[in-house]
Amino acid sequence: MLSVSKPTPQGTVRPAMPHVPPAAAIPIGGAGTGSIRNFSIIAHIDHGKSTLSDRILELTGAVEERSMRAQYLDSMELERERGITIKAQNVRVSWRGHTLHLIDTPGHVDFGYEVSRSLAACEGVVLLVDAAQGIEAQTLANCYLALESDLTIVPVLNKIDLPAAEPDLYASEIERVLGIDSGEVLAISAKTGEGVEALLDAIIERIPPPGGDPHAPLQALIFDSHFDQYRGVVSSVRVVNGRLCAGDRLRFMHAGGLHLSEEVGLRLPAVTPTDALGPGEVGYLIAGIKDVAEARSGETVTSAAAPADAPLAGYDDPKPMVFCGLYPVDGDEYPDLRDALAKLRLNDASVTFEPETSGALGFGFRCGFLGLLHMEIVRERLEREFGLSLIATAPSVAYRVRTDDDQELEVDNPSDLPAAGQIAEIAEPMLTVSVLTPSSYTGAVMDLCQSRRGSMTSMDYLSPERVELRYELPLAEVVTDFFDQLKSRTQGYASLDYDHAGYRAERLVRVDILLNGEPVDAFSAVRHRDGAYPYGKAITAKLAELIPRQLFDVPIQAAIGGRIIARETVKAKRKDVLSKCYGGDITRKRKLLERQKEGKKRMKAIGRVEVPNEAFVSALRLDQ
Amino acid sequence: MTVLDCASPAFGVYCHIPFCTHRCDYCAFATWTDRNHLIGDYMASCRRQARELAGGMPPVTSVFFGGGTPNLVPPSLLGDVLAELPLARGAEITVECNPDLVTPEQMQAYRALGVNRISLGVQSAVPHVLDVLGRRHDPQMVTASVDAVRRAGIGQLNLDLIYGTPTESLADWQRTLVEAIDLGPDHLSVYGLTPEPGTPLGDDPSRRPDDDEMADKYLIADELLSRVGYEIYEISNWARPGAQCRHNLLYWQQGSYAGIGCAAHSHRGGRRFWSVRTPERFIAAISAGTSPMAGSEELEPDERRVEALQLALRTSVGVPADALPDDVEHLLEPAAGGRLKLTARGRLLANEVAVRLGLPSEQ
Ligand SMILES: Nc1nc2c(ncn2[C@@H]2O[C@H](COP(=O)(O)OP(=O)(O)OP(=O)(O)O)[C@@H](O)[C@H]2O)c(=O)[nH]1
Ligand SMILES: C[S@@+](CC[C@H](N)C(=O)[O-])C[C@H]1O[C@@H](n2cnc3c(N)ncnc32)[C@H](O)[C@@H]1O
Ligand code: SF4
Ligand SMILES: [Mg+2]
């Protein structure tokens, strides 16, 4: 069942700390860790983490009222536009004589690794639950992460100002599902600020201060790094033992590099240099590094002169799950795309990319992402921040292929798949998927999962109204439009979390698409044998809709191996002419032609066929 | 194609009459049905503008009163504008007319003013098609109008036709063509119905003309008209030998013309410019002595050369063979002087061909 195996760490009551004046800017620098509390705010997406961070920034006076804005810590343009957090952010504030390091984390499942990293820098978490929604998929997932790391959990129901809020109901849900005493659950409104002071007090009371020895050799954990064009790599660090001082020579224990500590400092949230960071403190480090690969999250920083014996337990970079080809619309922009990817990777080490050539699209890169949202965001950032115009091929997963001559291959581009005759076995990545849904939608969710080749592993009632369904599902089935479908079939009420679950051999085939008789590698896709024929029919029909009529008939075929399984034809265009000249208005005519010419630039010539860029994206978002 | 090569330095004047009694369902022209009280002021402003511009004009070889509905305003007011212009001997003077407003007296008055060409908005000979177009005239009015033109002794007659109206069958279209031919015009303008955004026809997807049917109808027109002796000289224009519209040709030859009135376009000294769209703003500008110009454009020499090719491509003069790539070869046929012109199927795809035009490399 769902209740957690580990007993929840109880908040132990400590003697009240002597009252010292608020002094966020005064570094502790190793003077003692008793007044420090390090915590992350974790929750399901949209349950109010960033809004709570706003209130904390306000209450503690870290941000002046006039410079306050909603979701202050969501500083990326994309975050603000989409109203979601993509990158975790840390900030140091002070409250009643204590120093608090808080980390606001993202809730979206694609960015789960940001939560894991953040937790490595904390002793506790604030687990937020929307009091009008209750526990959702990432509430569970993130709560388990916190428990695995032995962190103190401060459970909080948020949004109690909402008329639909049912704090009592969901407090007992928390007790039943997470095994946390409902009496410990705080109730707040991050919007109005109600209950936030009491929450801050509870944080101080319940979350233990960090340990650590200021006189031991330095061990500091890098839990995030980003590239700043003026300062180079700026890393977020948590000191565990010893002191991290400006001007010290440092050794990066995993990468092996030696660097000079140019600046250490605090985020208050304004960046504020300081002399040193002591045990338990969280801040930033600038060490003249130009490549984030040399200051990966999970890295342990120690002193070059008196190094620690061993690094801290690190963690691996997350592995990409979804792949697609990215190609410049204009082939001349290939070098620009390469530079842009390299720069973007400085801030997002989870993106992978490798040069790739497509017969249809020319030179581009095969890129790996953590999920579909991540893919969409990276693509948007490349276009927006680097002024590129890109074509993305259909998302694919990485297949494991054993060939007849017993070679093992990993193939993340369908067009690289060996010919069917040479494949001894092909396996695809699997997920364990957990869906939380109101019980009235159970049937709809089951239908969806079954149609995506899922097999159910468990079904548990969190309450009479709420069910958790667990499925084994092929990743490939989830990365198409599974999430959209789930949302639309449950009117937005279901939530989803997933984890890797190894590989499973399946009867998979490659479906190729031929335009005007020529195979177009960018449209190749791997499908389960049973789904190949309907897929072929659907995609040829969709392409026939998306490809405009040309000066000649264009046959569109789907094929497995050499066998055609579906065919459509886009008939030759017969009429494209401006009939009338409006009283000598030649300008209008010329501009219409210019627009038409521009339109052609948004098409990719594949052989003689002009294919609109949207076709590459939309064709593969088939509603199945 | 002697007329196209006509060497005389042609100069045209277009005068826009932005008034109608009723708005047709397809029409997006700058015209209004509720402002007829402005006619007097408007025509006086046109006259004043004509007078101001006349000094800088070469002899005017063609005048075109277009609309809107020019035969809605008293003929004498058109005459007032004409009187200001330095007309060349034998200048072509056209008035665009709506059949429902044509009278014998009106035509006689035009004749007296020197009008020698009438363009009639016939559109279709089939009542249900006229209905869908939102036209107010019936086919008898067309016959009567043609009669009036002839009796008044106006030498040149054009009929405007529209094909591709929803509900129009191939037989309907054939009937329109045959009846138009029977009326014996010197010239026919045959337009594919264009769905203009903002018009009742353009905004109703269920009333969109179908491209394949449009193509069939165009080919029918091409076939029939050439069989009875009309020669095509521009995508939408057919004429008996020697009866091409000189004013129309100016547009396709990148020629010079002056616009008078609101929403009128001018092309002079390599610059294109156009006047404010509404009659009110036009009247206000003229009475304030300020320029009614709303915008202008001057192309770079190379752009101008491409524009010239784009325009010539629409005509039977055609373009130099090396201005086009091979993939449209099948849409072209030889024209005079080693040039290439569009075939009938090619004319239907003129935009596709035009966007491929490039400046021939200089040898
Ligand atoms: N009524 C009400 N709305 C709230 C409250 N807290 C947050 N919200 C709203 O909930 C939405 C999501 O808030 P965020 O703070 O961005 O949520 P988040 O958990 O940071 O979301 P992600 O970072 O994307 O996971 C916003 O529209 C907030 O205004 C609250 O206490 N009451
Ligand atoms: C400027 S209109 C004015 C003529 C006159 N008012 C009449 O309607 O008879 C000239 C011609 O343009 C054509 N026309 C106008 N709008 C059109 C459209 N949307 N599609 C095709 N032809 C159009 C019609 O054939 C019309 O006769
Ligand atoms: S088609 Fe002619 S009559 Fe009809 S609204 Fe347009 S200008 Fe007026
Ligand atoms: Mg957030």
Side-chain angles (χ1 to χ4, degrees), chain A residues 51-125:
Chain A
T51 307
L52 172 59
S53 307
D54 289 349
R55 291 299 83 71
I56 294 178
L57 291 176
E58 263 173 15
L59 266 178
T60 58
V63 176
E64 287 177 49
E65 205 174 317
R66 66 185 158 82
S67 31
M68 196 64 207
R69 56 174 186 190
Q71 285 92 33
Y72 185 91
L73 295 178
D74 289 343
S75 48
M76 276 166 57
E77 191 183 326
L78 265 173
E79 294 184 310
R80 302 206 61 80
E81 229 167 65
R82 292 174 178 245
I84 58 167
T85 303
I86 295 170
K87 268 194 92 77
Q89 295 288 348
N90 64 82
V91 57
R92 170 173 170 146
V93 299
S94 61
W95 179 250
R96 303 209 208 281
H98 289 72
T99 293
L100 309 184
H101 294 116
L102 91 80
I103 307 181
D104 178 22
T105 64
H108 193 280
V109 58
D110 278 11
F111 308 114
Y113 71 98
E114 290 270 330
V115 180
S116 316
R117 288 173 180 185
S118 306
L119 297 187
C122 298
E123 281 72 44
V125 297

Side-chain angles (χ1 to χ4, degrees), chain A residues 116-409:
Chain A
S116 316
R117 288 173 180 185
S118 306
L119 297 187
C122 298
E123 281 72 44
V125 297
V126 168
L127 176 67
L128 271 195
V129 178
D130 186 323
Q133 311 269 335
I135 292 175
E136 301 205 55
Q138 272 78 46
T139 319
L140 289 180
N142 290 331
C143 178
Y144 295 148
L145 283 177
L147 288 169
E148 276 162 27
S149 326
D150 260 332
L151 303 187
T152 301
I153 296 177
V154 179
V156 178
L157 284 165
N158 183 30
K159 308 197 187 183
I160 55 168
D161 60 292
L162 288 176
E166 296 186 80
D168 294 339
L169 175 71
Y170 292 120
S172 57
E173 186 177 82
I174 288 174
E175 174 161 317
R176 204 169 45 248
V177 177
L178 302 175
I180 298 173
D181 186 341
S182 62
E184 279 178 38
V185 179
L186 293 121
I188 67 163
S189 163
K191 188 175 170 189
T192 66
E194 183 185 350
V196 178
E197 293 198 19
L199 168 58
L200 287 171
D201 293 338
I203 288 167
I204 290 173
E205 205 174 286
R206 297 188 198 174
I207 296 177
D213 177 358
H215 307 294
L218 172 66
Q219 283 177 307
L221 176 74
I222 293 183
F223 61 94
D224 190 21
S225 281
H226 77 274
F227 185 80
D228 179 288
Q229 69 178 56
Y230 303 109
R231 310 295 317 261
V233 173
V234 181
S235 301
S236 293
V237 290
R238 151 82 195 253
V239 177
V240 176
N241 285 307
R243 286 163 55 82
L244 175 61
C245 304
D248 278 0
R249 292 194 61 77
L250 303 175
R251 173 177 294 282
F252 284 46
M253 298 183 81
H254 289 289
L258 280 173
H259 302 281
L260 181 70
S261 162
E262 287 177 1
E263 182 177 314
V264 296
L266 308 169
R267 294 195 172 93
L268 301 170
V271 288
T272 311
T274 180
D275 294 338
L277 296 173
E281 284 194 285
V282 174
Y284 67 88
L285 164 68
I286 297 172
I289 299 172
K290 293 282 167 260
D291 182 354
V292 271
E294 291 179 51
R296 287 262 164 86
S297 350
E299 177 64 89
T300 300
V301 177
T302 189
S303 144
D309 294 340
L312 302 162
Y315 37 83
D316 296 330
D317 274 337
K319 278 234 176 337
M321 309 230 295
V322 185
F323 300 83
C324 79
L326 286 181
Y327 291 83
V329 170
D330 174 356
D332 292 347
E333 285 185 349
Y334 174 79
D336 303 329
L337 175 57
R338 186 189 49 220
D339 293 351
L341 278 165
K343 282 202 185 118
L344 193 105
R345 211 184 125 75
L346 291 179
N347 278 330
D348 186 351
S350 54
V351 183
T352 62
F353 63 98
E354 258 173 54
E356 153 180 289
T357 321
S358 151
L361 301 175
F363 293 106
F365 293 91
R366 175 107 317 222
C367 303
F369 309 94
L370 301 170
L372 282 188
L373 178 67
H374 186 223
M375 170 171 143
E376 214 175 285
I377 283 171
V378 167
R379 185 196 160 164
E380 218 174 301
R381 287 185 63 185
L382 286 170
E383 296 206 309
R384 196 184 293 200
E385 293 169 28
F386 300 91
L388 297 166
S389 160
L390 299 175
I391 292 175
T393 63
S396 164
V397 301
Y399 295 95
R400 287 201 180 147
V401 178
R402 192 161 50 76
T403 59
D404 278 343
D405 51 0
D406 234 25
Q407 276 183 300
E408 299 273 349
L409 307 172

Side-chain angles (χ1 to χ4, degrees), chain B residues 17 19-29 31 33 67-69 96 98 123 134-135 162:
Chain B
I17 311 295
F19 307 105
C20 286
T21 49
H22 156 82
R23 182 169 297 260
C24 308
D25 283 5
Y26 54 87
C27 183
F29 278 80
T31 186
T33 55
T69 307
E96 218 168 37
N98 279 39
Q123 325 307 2
R135 293 292 288 188
I162 291 182

Side-chain angles (χ1 to χ4, degrees), chain A residues 307-620:
Chain A
D309 294 340
L312 302 162
Y315 37 83
D316 296 330
D317 274 337
K319 278 234 176 337
M321 309 230 295
V322 185
F323 300 83
C324 79
L326 286 181
Y327 291 83
V329 170
D330 174 356
D332 292 347
E333 285 185 349
Y334 174 79
D336 303 329
L337 175 57
R338 186 189 49 220
D339 293 351
L341 278 165
K343 282 202 185 118
L344 193 105
R345 211 184 125 75
L346 291 179
N347 278 330
D348 186 351
S350 54
V351 183
T352 62
F353 63 98
E354 258 173 54
E356 153 180 289
T357 321
S358 151
L361 301 175
F363 293 106
F365 293 91
R366 175 107 317 222
C367 303
F369 309 94
L370 301 170
L372 282 188
L373 178 67
H374 186 223
M375 170 171 143
E376 214 175 285
I377 283 171
V378 167
R379 185 196 160 164
E380 218 174 301
R381 287 185 63 185
L382 286 170
E383 296 206 309
R384 196 184 293 200
E385 293 169 28
F386 300 91
L388 297 166
S389 160
L390 299 175
I391 292 175
T393 63
S396 164
V397 301
Y399 295 95
R400 287 201 180 147
V401 178
R402 192 161 50 76
T403 59
D404 278 343
D405 51 0
D406 234 25
Q407 276 183 300
E408 299 273 349
L409 307 172
E410 187 153 305
V411 178
D412 57 27
N413 182 348
S415 67
D416 291 343
L417 212 63
Q422 296 162 18
I423 296 179
E425 187 181 271
I426 172 166
E428 62 179 336
M430 300 297 294
L431 295 179
T432 51
V433 170
S434 144
V435 178
L436 257 64
T437 177
S439 41
S440 52
Y441 295 111
T442 309
V445 173
M446 287 169 66
D447 282 350
L448 174 64
C449 293
Q450 246 124 47
S451 75
R452 299 301 173 88
R453 301 190 280 129
S455 48
M456 196 200 273
T457 52
S458 71
M459 174 167 156
D460 296 302
Y461 279 83
L462 304 190
S463 69
E465 298 81 37
R466 246 131 75 91
V467 181
E468 185 193 30
L469 294 161
R470 291 181 154 264
Y471 270 86
E472 288 249 304
L473 271 162
L475 171 59
E477 298 283 348
V478 177
V479 299
T480 46
D481 59 344
F482 185 84
F483 190 65
D484 293 344
Q485 284 290 317
L486 182 68
K487 284 286 171 193
S488 80
R489 291 184 191 205
T490 62
Q491 299 189 312
Y493 281 114
S495 60
L496 169 76
D497 191 63
Y498 48 73
D499 253 318
H500 294 273
Y503 277 74
R504 187 167 81 189
E506 265 295 2
R507 291 164 47 229
L508 301 170
V509 292
R510 187 175 85 203
V511 181
D512 292 320
I513 301 298
L514 293 83
L515 272 191
N516 209 21
E518 297 293 324
V520 183
D521 53 6
F523 284 132
S524 290
V526 173
R527 290 275 133 176
H528 191 267
R529 187 175 292 278
D530 297 341
Y533 178 71
Y535 171 78
K537 269 189 84 95
I539 188 160
T540 48
K542 184 86 181 200
L543 281 172
E545 232 172 73
L546 291 167
I547 294 178
R549 297 171 72 173
Q550 321 262 317
L551 292 178
F552 46 89
D553 282 355
V554 180
I556 303 171
Q557 295 156 299
I560 299 176
R563 195 165 54 87
I564 304 296
I565 57 168
R567 180 190 164 111
E568 296 273 345
T569 305
V570 177
K571 298 296 273 175
K573 177 187 217 175
R574 293 188 56 206
K575 179 188 162 284
D576 184 357
V577 58
L578 302 166
S579 226
K580 177 131 178 74
C581 166
Y582 292 79
D585 185 357
I586 299 297
T587 304
R588 168 172 150 140
K589 250 195 168 74
R590 213 196 68 248
K591 289 199 169 145
L592 280 167
L593 286 176
E594 261 166 28
R595 227 170 295 145
Q596 189 159 346
K597 244 191 236 175
E598 282 302 309
K600 284 197 190 290
K601 287 200 192 131
R602 287 192 300 276
M603 308 246 216
K604 197 89 190 176
I606 294 187
R608 293 165 62 211
V609 185
E610 287 170 343
V611 181
N613 297 338
E614 307 85 70
F616 292 92
V617 189
S618 334
L620 302 140

